[in-house]
Amino acid sequence: MSKATVIAVDGPGGAGKGELTRRLASELGFKLLDSGAIYRVLAYAARKAGLALFDEDSLCQEAAVMDLSFEPTEKGVHVLLGGQDVSSAIRTEEAGVNASKVAQLPSVRKALLQRQRDFRQEPGLVADGRDMGTVVFPDAQVKIFLDAAAEVRAQRRVKQLQSAGKEADFELILSEIKERDERDRNRLIAPLKPADDAVVLDSSELGIDEVFARAMEIIKSRISI
Ligand code: DC
């Protein structure tokens, strides 16, 4: 029996994967996996439990038992931990850095593997992350690597924060982005890199409509929809 279609979208933080994968899932009527949210929730739960972010054994236990669920609403998908909405709490810069730290640990990644694979269901899945096409779904029918220059990603983040009425320091955000890229790209297990059979799409000079249109072209060239 052939497996349900997976469209894997990998790339660094801030390249626009979130917006792109939401649109693709909605256009195709596919399910959506935001794998970064899983790492973010684990780091958040660990912090709440007073665990150190390098305590691999305890983090693995937490990964195995944490009661995580995604709830689609009109305003987007809410992330629930033990029934509590943690969507905003896991979206801070600090939560991203903490997620990137726990994501370096090999046994933590292993403990979260099946949880991610369980999202593969008919009629198909759009999976957003760093290792969707390389490790979690190596047999994904479509693999896209969405990239963008660090400066462009930092500028986008500044705009996002400012439009939410928050303060944003470009230089600080840029250095955090570079530091997180460095950790995600150079870790020993499942480092951030395009799969050999991925199509690389650089969004530095493209708006979301154009990125979406190009991604749809790539998808149509690989699968019949
Ligand atoms: O996509 P994001 O910014 O929500 O991800 C947060 C961190 O989680 C990211 O810096 C690295 C880690 N991550 C990962 O290692 N593998 C994934 N598939 C998704 C995220």
Side-chain angles (χ1 to χ4, degrees):
M1 201 180 76
S2 64
K3 286 190 177 168
T5 302
V6 173
I7 296 170
V9 182
D10 290 305
K17 286 174 290 142
E19 176 76 19
L20 173 63
T21 51
R22 273 193 295 278
R23 282 211 199 179
L24 291 176
S26 143
E27 174 78 15
L28 300 166
F30 282 11
K31 298 195 182 317
L32 178 63
L33 165 62
D34 174 1
S35 62
I38 300 181
Y39 289 95
R40 285 171 183 264
V41 169
L42 175 60
Y44 176 84
R47 269 289 148 99
K48 285 256 155 193
L51 304 176
L53 298 178
F54 50 81
D55 180 351
E56 202 158 352
D57 289 346
S58 305
L59 286 165
C60 277
Q61 280 173 23
E62 186 64 43
V65 301
M66 71 177 175
D67 172 18
L68 163 68
S69 56
F70 293 94
E71 188 183 75
T73 72
E74 275 179 15
K75 288 189 179 165
V77 177
H78 284 192
V79 184
L80 307 181
L81 174 64
Q84 291 227 323
D85 191 343
V86 294
S87 316
S88 315
I90 62 160
R91 290 290 155 211
T92 63
E93 304 302 317
E94 192 194 350
V97 171
N98 290 346
S100 164
K101 286 183 180 164
V102 302
Q104 296 179 98
L105 306 171
S107 49
V108 166
R109 300 197 72 86
K110 207 167 148 213
L112 292 175
L113 207 50
Q114 195 54 46
R115 218 182 248 267
Q116 297 173 79
R117 290 188 173 147
D118 287 344
F119 279 79
R120 186 175 204 167
Q121 290 167 21
E122 298 292 350
L125 175 69
V126 179
D128 165 344
R130 304 289 188 288
D131 61 343
M132 299 294 101
T134 50
V135 176
V136 182
F137 305 110
D139 59 344
Q141 289 84 343
V142 184
K143 297 180 186 179
I144 297 172
F145 190 87
L146 188 65
D147 212 346
E151 287 71 15
V152 173
R153 289 183 279 132
Q155 197 54 57
R156 287 180 187 158
R157 185 69 185 140
V158 166
K159 275 199 188 150
Q160 242 179 27
L161 288 167
Q162 285 173 343
S163 62
K166 294 185 183 147
E167 276 187 33
D169 175 340
F170 175 79
E171 289 303 332
L172 182 66
I173 289 176
L174 179 60
S175 75
E176 281 172 356
I177 281 181
K178 285 185 171 166
E179 197 184 305
R180 185 137 74 97
D181 278 1
E182 181 82 6
R183 194 164 36 236
D184 292 348
R185 287 185 210 271
N186 295 319
R187 66 183 173 221
L188 293 176
I189 182 167
L192 169 65
K193 63 166 188 191
D196 292 338
D197 49 350
V199 180
V200 178
L201 184 54
D202 193 315
S203 76
S204 303
E205 315 237 313
L206 304 178
I208 177 62
D209 290 340
E210 213 165 344
V211 170
F212 174 72
R214 298 233 185 144
M216 284 301 292
E217 277 169 25
I218 296 167
I219 293 167
K220 284 179 186 157
S221 73
R222 304 261 163 138
I223 56 170
S224 49
I225 47 170

